[in-house]
Amino acid sequence: LGTPVMQEREAQILITSGDVDSLTVSFDQRVDGWIVYLHLKSESEPKALVTKREKDSRKFRTSDAALRWCKRMGINEVNVAL
């Protein structure tokens, strides 16, 4: 990947504690899907959300699905990169 990664469980803890500054949902042509990037207050480089068991990016087939995940995590404001 090259980008630092974060599993969903860790992301949920950091979102709840207020350590996540913002989220970006971005289309990635390499995986033909949408990836969620977490921007932490304590780090300059965003972290890509990954699947639970693997280190592959968690791919959402549609932007709506990625945005629903963000909403489920309690995030009401998301950056979308096309």
Side-chain angles (χ1 to χ4, degrees):
L1 270 181
T3 302
V5 296
M6 178 182 300
Q7 292 185 344
E8 185 172 333
R9 175 181 241 161
E10 182 183 3
Q12 188 172 17
I13 291 168
L14 291 172
I15 289 168
T16 302
S17 67
D19 292 319
V20 174
D21 191 36
S22 64
L23 292 181
T24 299
V25 174
S26 178
F27 185 77
D28 188 333
Q29 292 180 358
R30 294 172 297 173
V31 297
D32 192 31
W34 295 83
I35 307 295
V36 174
Y37 294 95
L38 296 98
H39 304 270
L40 304 178
K41 292 179 179 178
S42 61
E43 297 182 26
S44 60
E45 194 170 354
K47 293 189 174 197
L49 185 67
V50 294
T51 57
K52 290 180 183 177
R53 295 188 183 127
E54 301 174 21
K55 293 298 179 195
D56 295 331
S57 293
R58 176 157 180 205
K59 177 182 86 167
F60 296 89
R61 283 189 266 169
T62 66
S63 59
D64 285 351
L67 294 171
R68 276 194 304 273
W69 180 89
C70 295
K71 181 75 171 172
R72 197 176 80 235
M73 290 295 115
I75 301 294
N76 296 319
E77 208 169 298
V78 178
N79 300 310
V80 178
L82 302 175

